[in-house]
Each structure stands twice: as structure tokens, then as C-alpha cells.
């Protein structure tokens, strides 16, 4: 199906990635007749790596825009696409892992950046310290989603210059890497963690595919005031009343949609229609 009415129907969009993301991103764009062109030879890892050899110095949104621009420069196309994942503890519920994936479409023909994001708590990510003599048990390997989800192993403490073993998807290779890292560590310890690069983490790849659909939908929504593409939710206002006592809670009361071209804002009710918060979220009913 192609959507001739979509502002990006029939376009070619550059993608700089070392990690096979085109596979996850291209179908959503193909559905509107847009082609994703992978820029060859662009080192997106220069902007930061998950495994920490290169620290990411830019906030995630800026890092995604910088990555999209690398692809545009390499291909000479005025449109660029990139995603950037962030993993860490949930800012409110600390024990829940949060995976936030941001996608941007940079459009130099209109001077626009269209951004969309997706949060999830089911990310296959984590790490664990193996002290001398410890082994990884089956339950831990399942928690990591191994072997479909690859692992990284390094010495702990990390000895500069020692090998970081990446992309491990095989039990024997994993054991050999753990042994090698233990020998490199002064304390005989190894650190094992998820390999979060998209092509090594099918859960992340699925989230990127879903995010691509949302980005295409947002890019196809035009501002009611200036008709620029990319109109959609950019924030939320708290204050949803408690279902028991009616006091305002921290839960979202209204969603804010805005246009990055003209600044038009529209404050509207929640898209899920919820009008009352669970009393468990209320500071008065559940202090
Ligand atoms: Zn209450
Ligand atoms: Zn506008």
C-alpha cells in the first residue's frame, strides 16, 4: 500500500547505522512509498557506544539528530532518519528497567525535525558481576534472553586495553570470554551485560519497528495551523483526579500536542479516555 497523501510519500531518506536497523525501520516507510537508503561507511559509534568505550556526550535527542545528519552528509539526501536508545532505571519506579527509544526524521527541505519516542519496561537488559568461582545459572541466562539476545563480557574492574567481548550468542564462546576476562582482572572477576546494539537484541529491534510506525504516523499528521508535517504529542500535564477523593494526582490529566514549525499548541484530554486516577496513585489516599 502506498499513501500518496503522506508528505513523505515517494521520498528517499538517509539512514546511518552500523547495526542493521534498516530491517526494522524500512517497512513502515515502505508502506507510504518512501525508501530508506543506508549510508555506507558512517561510524555512528563515534557518537557513543552502549559498552562505554566511547561515552555519549550528547543528550539522546541531539545524538539522534547528529546521527541522522551523518547519513544525510554521506548520501547528499535532504532527509535523514536515526534512532537512539537509552537504558537505565525507571526515573520514578527505580526497580523497573526503562528502555526509551527515540526516532527522528530530519527534514532540511522544510527545516524540520520530527521526533517520536517509545518507552518500555520489558527491555532485555541488565548486567551481573561474576566473582571468582561464580557461574551464570540458567535463570540468569533466561533473564538476559540468551542466546537470542547477545551478551558482552569484560574484566571487572575494567583493565584499560583489555578485550571487551561483544556479540556473544554461543555458550562455549561466552564461557571462554568469561575465563579470559577473569584472567585479565586483578580480582578474578568478570562483568556480563546485555549487548544492546539493535542487531544483537531482538527485543530492541521490535521496539524500533513499532517506533518507526509511530514516526511515520506523526510525520503524516499536519499542523492544523500551518500544515507542516509532524504534529503530535510533545508533552503531558499532570493532575488527573483521584477516583476516590478527587484530589489531583501526578497522573496525566491532559496531553499537549504541538507543532515544531510554528509553535501551535493544542491541550486535549487523554487519548485513552481515562478520567480518574487509581487511588493507589493518590498522595492523600495512599500516602
Ligand atoms: Zn485520593
Ligand atoms: Zn504549525
Amino acid at each position: 500500500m502506498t499513501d500518496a497523501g503522506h508528505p513523505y510519500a515517494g521520498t528517499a531518506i538517509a539512514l546511518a547505522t552500523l547495526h542493521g536497523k534498516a530491517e526494522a525501520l524500512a517497512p513502515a516507510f515502505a508502506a507510504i512509498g518512501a525508501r530508506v537508503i543506508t549510508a555506507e561507511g558512517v561510524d555512528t559509534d563515534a557518537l557513543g557506544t552502549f559498552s562505554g568505550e566511547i561515552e555519549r556526550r550528547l543528550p539522546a535527542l541531539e545524538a539522534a539528530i547528529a546521527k541522522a545528519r551523518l547519513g544525510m552528509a554521506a548520501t547528499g539526501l535532504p532527509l535523514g532518519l536515526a534512532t537512539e536508545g537509552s537504558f537505565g532505571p525507571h526515573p520514578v519506579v527505580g526497580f523497573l528497567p526503562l528502555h526509551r527509544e527515540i526516532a527522528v526524521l530530519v527534514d532540511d527541505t522544510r527545516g524540520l525535525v520530527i521526533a517520536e519516542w517509545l518507552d518500555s519496561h520489558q527491555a532485555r537488559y541488565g548486567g551481573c558481576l561474576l566473582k571468582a568461582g561464580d557461574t551464570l545459572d540458567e535463570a540468569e541466562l533466561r533473564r538476559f534472553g540468551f542466546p537470542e539476545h547477545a551478551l558482552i563480557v569484560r574484566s571487572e574492574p575494567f583493565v584499560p586495553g583489555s578485550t571487551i567481548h561483544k556479540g556473544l550468542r554461543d555458550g562455549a564462546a561466552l564461557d571462554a570470554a568469561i575465563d579470559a576476562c577473569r584472567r585479565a582482572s586483578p580480582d578474578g572477576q568478570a562483568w556480563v551485560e546485555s549487548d544492546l546494539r539493535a542487531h544483537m537484541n531482538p527485543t530492541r529491534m521490535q521496539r524500533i519497528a513499532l517506533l518507526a510506525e509511530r514516526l511515520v504516523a506523526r510525520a503524516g499528521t499536519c499542523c492544523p495551523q500551518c500544515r507542516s508535517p509532524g504534529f503530535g504529542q510533545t508533552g503531558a500535564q499532570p493532575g488527573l483526579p483521584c477516583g476516590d477523593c478527587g484530589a489531583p494526582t501526578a497522573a496525566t490529566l491532559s496531553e499537549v500536542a504541538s507543532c515544531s514549525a510554528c509553535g501551535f499548541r493544542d491541550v486535549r484530554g487523554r487519548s485513552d479516555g481515562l478520567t480518574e486516577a487509581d487511588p493507589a496513585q493518590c498522595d492523600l489516599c495512599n500516602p
Side-chain angles (χ1 to χ4, degrees), residues 242-247 249 279 282-286:
C242 168
D244 230 12
C245 74
T249 68
C282 174
D283 286 340
L284 299 177
C285 299
N286 188 21

Side-chain angles (χ1 to χ4, degrees), residues 112 222-229 231 258-265:
L112 280 180
C222 294
C223 169
Q225 187 158 284
C226 75
R227 307 305 301 160
S228 285
F231 189 73
S258 58
C259 171
S260 67
C262 75
F264 174 76
R265 271 163 58 96

Side-chain angles (χ1 to χ4, degrees), residues 47-74:
L47 292 165
T49 61
F50 290 121
S51 35
E53 302 99 309
I54 303 169
E55 188 192 344
R56 189 178 75 194
R57 290 202 167 77
L58 295 171
L61 178 62
E62 273 95 288
I65 294 169
K67 235 186 245 184
R69 291 209 170 278
L70 287 177
M72 293 157 74

Side-chain angles (χ1 to χ4, degrees), residues 58-142:
L58 295 171
L61 178 62
E62 273 95 288
I65 294 169
K67 235 186 245 184
R69 291 209 170 278
L70 287 177
M72 293 157 74
T75 56
L77 292 168
L79 301 174
L81 174 66
T83 78
E84 184 73 21
S86 303
F87 297 83
H90 191 280
V92 181
V93 192
F95 59 85
L96 276 181
L98 176 69
H99 165 204
R100 168 166 289 181
E101 195 78 34
I102 293 176
V104 294
L105 176 61
V106 177
D107 178 353
D108 276 356
T109 65
R110 296 180 175 91
L112 280 180
V113 173
I114 299 172
E116 185 63 75
W117 67 93
L118 195 59
D119 288 346
S120 73
H121 309 300
Q122 287 92 34
R124 291 277 186 190
Y125 99 96
C128 76
L129 176 68
L130 292 180
K131 295 193 172 130
D134 286 357
T135 51
L136 271 176
D137 63 31
E138 281 301 315
E140 275 162 321
L141 288 174
R142 267 199 305 279

